[in-house]
Amino acid sequence: AVKYYKVASISMYGIDQSKVDYVRLDDTVISDAQQIQVGDLLITRKGTFGICMGVEQEDAAGVISSEVFCAKLNKGWDPDFLAYFLNSNFGAQQFLQFATGSTMKGISQQNISRIVVPVISFEDQLTVGNVIRKIKKQLRVSKSLIDEAKQDVEDLIEGKFDHSKITETI
């Protein structure tokens, strides 16, 4: 089974693993457009459209639905900087400006190409991108600690808690 990322799975800070589906695909059926790699920029295009995220190693193990664009970036662009900008108020307003559809709004590939992005030095992009990557890492660590705490509470309730995990600090 392969992780399948849909619009609900995508956030600026990475893939929400609780909203990931799994599909059975063999490698010959996966199109190039569905495969994602580290450094790509994912953009949701239907429903909750305009959410962008840079792909990191943890996220590259899946395929995307047809409702998510995968932008393969040229050198000189940091995906997390672009995601940060495109998720900002200015980026979101542009997505709204170029949205189409009456029942379910979305954005086309042609209209995405009309979105204006500030051209700043790659070093400045990296500065912003590195902050976003630190936030992503801390969110993953926080999620892991929360999951561990939930398991500890379950173990405590069931009488299976490992008391050696508790250390006294004064």
Side-chain angles (χ1 to χ4, degrees):
V2 176
K3 288 183 178 184
Y4 182 70
Y5 305 144
K6 52 193 187 285
V7 171
S9 310
I10 309 295
S11 82
M12 181 175 130
Y13 299 110
I15 300 295
D16 182 345
Q17 295 298 325
S18 69
K19 297 180 180 174
V20 169
D21 288 333
Y22 290 85
V23 291
R24 292 180 136 201
L25 297 173
D26 78 33
D27 292 336
T28 59
V29 197
I30 302 170
S31 72
D32 288 341
Q34 288 180 293
Q35 293 182 0
I36 60 175
Q37 298 173 342
V38 174
D40 290 346
L41 179 70
L42 301 185
I43 305 168
T44 60
R45 69 180 202 95
K46 287 280 185 185
T48 310
F49 63 93
I51 298 171
C52 305
M53 66 163 272
V55 176
E56 293 195 14
Q57 191 64 46
E58 298 81 17
D59 307 317
V63 295
I64 55 173
S65 82
S66 61
E67 306 302 325
V68 179
F69 287 125
C70 178
K72 307 288 184 183
L73 303 178
N74 294 329
K75 287 189 185 243
W77 288 103
D78 182 283
D80 287 305
F81 161 76
L82 286 172
Y84 178 76
F85 173 77
L86 292 170
N87 285 306
S88 74
N89 286 337
F90 188 73
Q93 289 302 315
Q94 291 187 81
F95 277 108
L96 287 172
Q97 177 184 355
F98 297 121
T100 58
S102 57
T103 305
M104 180 183 280
K105 292 223 179 260
I107 190 156
S108 67
Q109 192 169 355
Q110 180 182 3
N111 283 347
I112 282 181
S113 68
R114 298 172 64 190
I115 292 177
V116 177
V117 176
V119 178
I120 64 173
S121 74
F122 188 64
E123 291 75 24
D124 288 342
Q125 290 180 48
L126 280 177
T127 300
V128 173
N130 286 337
V131 170
I132 298 302
R133 283 182 282 281
K134 281 183 183 177
I135 292 170
K136 286 178 172 181
K137 180 180 179 185
Q138 293 306 315
L139 286 171
R140 283 191 302 274
V141 168
S142 297
K143 172 85 171 96
S144 175
L145 290 171
I146 289 169
D147 290 344
E148 183 181 343
K150 285 179 182 177
Q151 186 60 55
D152 286 347
V153 170
E154 285 179 24
D155 291 347
L156 187 60
I157 291 169
E158 294 173 5
K160 298 188 249 176
F161 182 71
D162 179 5
H163 290 280
S164 67
K165 292 176 101 175
I166 300 174
T167 57
E168 188 175 321
T169 57
I170 297 178

